[in-house]
Amino acid sequence: MKPLIMTPGPTYIHEDVRKALASEIINPDLDLNFYEFYKDTCTMLQKILNTVSDVLILSGEGILGLEAACCSIIEPGDRVLCIDNGIFGNGFGDFAKMYGAEVVYFKSDYRKAIDVKALEDFLNSDSAFKMATVVHCETPSGITNPVNEICPLLKRFGILTVVDSVSAIGGEEVKTDEWKIDMILGGSQKCLSAPPGLTFLSVSQDAWQAILERKKPITGFYCNLSLWKNWYSEKWFPYTQAVSDIFALNEAVQRLLKESNPQERHRKISKAVRKSVEAAGLELYPLDGFSSTVTTINIPQGITFNEINQSMLEDHNILIAGAFAFLKDKVFRIGHMGENCFEDKVYLTLKALNQVFIKHSIKINAAMHEVFVKEMSK
Ligand SMILES: *Cc1c(COP(=O)(O)O)cnc(C)c1O
């Protein structure tokens, strides 16, 4: 039996989505129906993103969106502001550098959401940036940043806003246009609960202008978004589309849109998880900005991540996540995103965790699964 995957992506894939993945394929270049199908999928994504901007689906996992944004917008020597309060935030700067940017980091406390006031003070002293990168949900640390305040602020200074929302879209509220996001980046395998393999992104008028009016042509092909400008009117894709993955994504997005308020479901579950963990005497890694899609918990004294992970898997057949870089062996994470964000699955996970801690003689002040049930019935 496959383990229950309670990781922050990839997430469990619903049977209907798996069936769509297995549908007979069509020729995406020659069958005109596919252009309509692709467009319908983009239209549904526009609804989720709350945008009228163009949305594109690219064949490649989430990281492709980050790289495509940098590749298409940045010209060598451009100044890029990298807003950094975590591993993904900092890493975004590396992609900007690969495409020749002069990167300036705005650093904020790694255990807290971005300090918007401090960012404003910083911009008052230096705002000569073509573009800024910011991460919506810092998946390793479980922190959601206030992109609703950050992006309008950046735009006030005339800076293009590129948001990595890979682990937030679908689970957190996203208002791309209202929040003045020029490019928002998402992936198929997180809260949308489709198979890993696709990126999707929005491109605002300002972003298109930056892409199309460069002085130096874009280097490369696969990350070059300018090639996509007229895909629909010309009925032409830069490369053969991942038909099966897009069938699955379409089904997954339909499932999400059928639900009246998935963000509320994520908010409620995540809050109950935090209450349970804290009641047990465990410590959350974030001090504020708690994510609705992933909870990051400090590993208590007397146990290692490997011990937690191994017992969860061997005794309970549940897979949770650790973290990497400076958080490696310091925290463990429960992903409650998309199809994983339901009371039954989270209950089983907390009950198993509770037993794992008892087995390893770690003091637990309250039964996590019991607190969780109480919180959910409030
Ligand atoms: C998952 C994720 C990505 C995609 O990267 P992978 O590590 O390759 O899955 C990008 N950004 C964020 C914030 C993510 O959570």
Side-chain angles (χ1 to χ4, degrees):
M1 226 184 42
K2 297 223 167 50
L4 175 62
I5 41 173
M6 295 302 288
T7 58
T11 50
Y12 178 80
I13 297 174
H14 190 270
E15 185 182 355
D16 292 350
V17 176
R18 278 182 276 133
K19 279 184 185 151
L21 186 70
S23 315
E24 201 174 332
I25 70 155
I26 56 178
N27 184 315
D29 298 310
L30 303 180
D31 188 334
L32 292 182
N33 292 317
F34 186 76
Y35 292 89
E36 298 307 325
F37 185 82
Y38 181 103
K39 194 167 197 294
D40 286 346
T41 313
C42 294
T43 304
M44 289 195 290
L45 287 169
Q46 284 175 317
K47 279 196 194 126
I48 291 176
L49 300 173
N50 279 301
T51 185
V52 295
S53 290
D54 289 335
V55 168
L56 301 171
I57 303 161
L58 310 180
S59 306
E61 188 273 341
I63 290 293
L64 174 62
L66 279 64
E67 188 157 355
C70 291
C71 170
S72 298
I73 291 181
I74 297 167
E75 296 190 54
D78 280 341
R79 293 184 84 229
V80 169
L81 179 64
C82 174
I83 298 175
D84 167 16
N85 69 327
I87 293 167
F88 276 100
N90 184 270
F92 214 150
D94 296 337
F95 290 108
K97 282 183 200 159
M98 284 174 211
Y99 290 93
E102 182 200 315
V103 176
V104 174
Y105 293 86
F106 170 80
K107 286 203 182 282
S108 206
D109 191 327
Y110 269 32
R111 291 186 73 178
K112 292 180 178 170
I114 297 285
D115 181 343
V116 181
K117 182 71 187 64
L119 177 63
E120 186 172 7
D121 292 344
F122 173 88
L123 289 167
N124 277 323
S125 65
D126 184 5
S127 63
F129 300 101
K130 181 181 200 175
M131 160 182 141
T133 62
V134 57
V135 174
H136 192 178
C137 171
E138 266 294 345
T139 328
S141 41
I143 293 172
T144 297
N145 284 315
V147 290
N148 58 320
E149 295 172 47
I150 294 168
C151 294
L153 173 65
L154 291 163
K155 280 302 261 190
R156 237 187 338 103
F157 287 90
I159 302 167
L160 288 170
T161 55
V162 177
V163 177
D164 171 355
S165 186
V166 174
S167 61
I169 293 168
E172 305 268 11
E173 186 179 47
V174 173
K175 293 188 170 165
T176 304
D177 293 353
E178 193 182 313
W179 299 347
K180 309 220 181 304
I181 300 173
D182 288 303
M183 286 184 79
I184 191 157
L185 318 171
S188 51
Q189 84 276 25
K190 302 274 169 92
C191 308
L192 301 192
S193 293
L198 297 176
T199 277
F200 53 90
L201 49 82
S202 69
V203 189
S204 72
Q205 287 297 337
D206 287 352
W208 274 128
Q209 197 178 344
I211 292 167
L212 298 173
E213 294 179 2
R214 295 164 52 115
K215 289 183 219 79
K216 283 225 176 103
I218 294 169
T219 301
F221 182 83
Y222 216 68
C223 289
N224 181 344
L225 296 175
S226 75
L227 303 174
W228 287 83
K229 184 69 181 95
N230 301 314
W231 70 269
Y232 185 69
S233 58
E234 291 172 3
K235 300 287 180 291
W236 181 82
F237 289 119
Y239 45 82
T240 300
Q241 294 305 292
V243 182
S244 305
D245 284 342
I246 296 174
F247 285 165
L249 178 66
N250 181 292
E251 184 66 34
V253 169
Q254 281 190 54
R255 277 182 60 74
L256 198 66
L257 284 174
K258 261 187 239 154
E259 191 178 337
S260 64
N261 195 346
Q263 287 75 42
E264 175 58 22
R265 166 167 57 92
H266 284 77
R267 200 196 58 74
K268 187 168 182 190
I269 294 251
S270 65
K271 188 170 169 218
V273 169
R274 291 193 297 272
K275 291 264 182 194
S276 317
V277 164
E278 287 186 312
L282 298 171
E283 189 183 52
L284 299 169
Y285 175 76
L287 301 174
D288 64 25
F290 306 105
S291 161
S292 289
T293 61
V294 52
T295 297
T296 303
I297 302 153
N298 289 333
I299 294 173
Q301 290 280 326
I303 195 166
T304 64
F305 173 69
N306 279 343
E307 286 167 334
I308 300 173
N309 191 32
Q310 211 171 356
S311 299
M312 282 295 282
L313 207 49
E314 284 171 9
D315 302 349
H316 305 279
N317 203 28
I318 297 175
L319 185 64
I320 55 161
F324 38 91
F326 78 95
L327 287 175
K328 187 169 161 38
D329 298 326
K330 301 267 193 305
V331 299
F332 67 97
R333 295 181 294 160
I334 303 171
H336 32 76
M337 46 176 76
E339 296 285 350
N340 292 359
C341 190
F342 287 100
E343 192 169 343
D344 52 349
K345 288 179 185 161
V346 175
Y347 174 85
L348 288 175
T349 306
L350 291 174
K351 186 168 171 221
L353 256 180
N354 215 76
Q355 286 177 16
V356 167
F357 284 126
I358 289 168
K359 175 179 168 180
H360 289 274
S361 314
I362 304 297
K363 191 168 161 284
I364 288 291
N365 299 337
M368 286 185 267
H369 49 296
E370 286 167 16
V371 180
F372 179 74
V373 171
K374 264 191 225 129
E375 286 296 322
M376 288 303 292
S377 62
K378 274 186 186 165

